Amino acid sequence: MSRITPLVAGNWKMNGMREQAAEIGKLAESLEKDPVDGVDVMICPPATLVMPFAELMKDNRIEIGGQDCHPLVSGAHTGDISAEMLADSGATAIIVGHSERRADHGETDALISEKAQATWRAGLVAIICVGETNGQRSYGLTLDVVRRQLKNAVPDGATAQNTIIAYEPVWAIGTGLTPTVEDVKKVHDDIRSVLVERFGSENGGGMRLLYGGSVKASNAAELMSVENVDGALVGGASLKADDFLGIINSYKS
Ligand code: PEP
């Protein structure tokens, strides 16, 4: 039995208006009525909803996270948002290095490492995303790509408390495709051994490793039961409380 408390985190991406507070309200209510023990739950809404959601959830066990941050605290960076601003709004974690940011904004591992350090500077947890594209996978490069991303995007100060790694094969995000459980195990085992070697057994061995990519209620139990999978980062299926609850419920004993 793993000593790591799993986390099911929802990434809402660029979806959600204030009225979607009803969904997170429904989620909180359901978890209150029918608690699922031993699993942490987080929603990462667009930046506009971080503060209202954090206020709504302040007496609740659902944490609120950001989806990205600028490496600096403040300054002339129009349209950007700092980790400190997200902390000030009530976020407890920030996703950095999501493949959509790597693809849409040309984010490099070096920049992602700076963003992770900014997240820590603000006292928050960095959820650092790694994962191979379909092309890289077809050339058998999955482990090489993930190892390179871990080496360059995860800064030296990573601990079990300040960092979560999300393995998200790019080809599985939003496609309905998922790797086999054997493939997920192979990659997660490899990530674990890389982290233990670099950060030691306490930190590398205690860091949460999330799987992300087309997780839904119907495949969550199977994926979440894989060794070294300590939860999920969920996109599409986190937008509706019922769908997301179906995933969280895979941790019901
Ligand atoms: C994601 O974008 O982090 C993700 C996992 O998306 P989906 O669950 O929709 O594949």
Side-chain angles (χ1 to χ4, degrees):
M1 171 107 173
S2 167
R3 66 193 161 89
I4 299 176
T5 304
L7 168 71
V8 177
N11 170 18
W12 279 22
K13 314 190 187 197
M14 198 172 72
N15 296 295
M17 300 294 183
R18 280 182 299 166
E19 68 193 23
Q20 256 77 41
E23 287 303 322
I24 194 168
K26 189 172 167 190
L27 180 65
E29 212 173 289
S30 305
L31 287 174
E32 213 150 285
K33 268 199 217 134
D34 190 12
V36 186
D37 294 328
V39 59
D40 292 336
V41 178
M42 182 185 291
I43 293 286
C44 301
T48 48
L49 294 178
V50 168
M51 189 186 288
F53 279 17
E55 280 175 4
L56 211 59
M57 293 297 118
K58 70 175 183 299
D59 299 320
N60 199 283
R61 50 173 294 214
I62 299 174
E63 292 181 59
I64 303 300
Q67 297 178 10
D68 178 50
C69 66
H70 192 279
L72 298 177
V73 181
S74 61
H77 302 287
T78 304
D80 278 316
I81 186 161
S82 71
E84 281 76 5
M85 290 167 179
L86 288 165
D88 187 46
S89 300
T92 57
I94 306 176
I95 299 170
V96 296
H98 191 281
S99 62
E100 286 154 13
R101 293 217 52 96
R102 291 176 186 260
D104 295 355
H105 300 270
E107 292 198 3
T108 61
D109 286 332
L111 178 63
I112 293 157
S113 170
E114 286 182 41
K115 291 182 176 202
Q117 291 172 73
T119 302
W120 301 342
R121 184 189 63 218
L124 306 187
V125 175
I127 302 175
I128 304 176
C129 301
V130 297
E132 81 288 1
T133 63
N134 198 25
Q136 290 164 332
R137 172 180 174 242
S138 66
Y139 282 106
L141 295 173
T142 298
L143 295 183
D144 293 336
V145 168
V146 170
R147 282 183 198 155
R148 191 182 64 230
Q149 291 172 333
L150 290 173
K151 182 168 184 277
N152 298 322
V154 182
D156 281 340
T159 68
Q161 286 73 39
N162 69 16
T163 300
I164 295 170
I165 304 296
Y167 168 57
E168 299 208 301
V170 180
W171 53 271
I173 294 178
T175 58
L177 303 170
T178 50
T180 61
V181 288
E182 290 76 20
D183 283 345
V184 172
K185 178 169 163 37
K186 190 167 148 197
V187 179
H188 277 243
D189 285 354
D190 197 68
I191 293 174
R192 179 66 74 206
S193 64
V194 166
L195 294 174
V196 168
E197 193 177 318
R198 182 165 164 207
F199 299 107
S201 59
E202 197 172 320
N203 284 312
M207 231 174 262
R208 292 195 269 198
L209 308 186
L210 311 185
Y211 167 77
S214 295
V215 177
K216 44 188 187 274
S218 57
N219 61 18
E222 189 181 35
L223 288 164
M224 298 304 104
S225 69
V226 175
E227 205 184 329
N228 281 318
V229 172
D230 312 307
L233 183 55
V234 184
S238 68
L239 290 168
K240 290 271 169 253
D242 288 339
D243 297 341
F244 198 47
L245 274 168
I247 295 170
I248 298 166
N249 281 338
S250 69
Y251 280 103
K252 262 199 169 152
S253 44

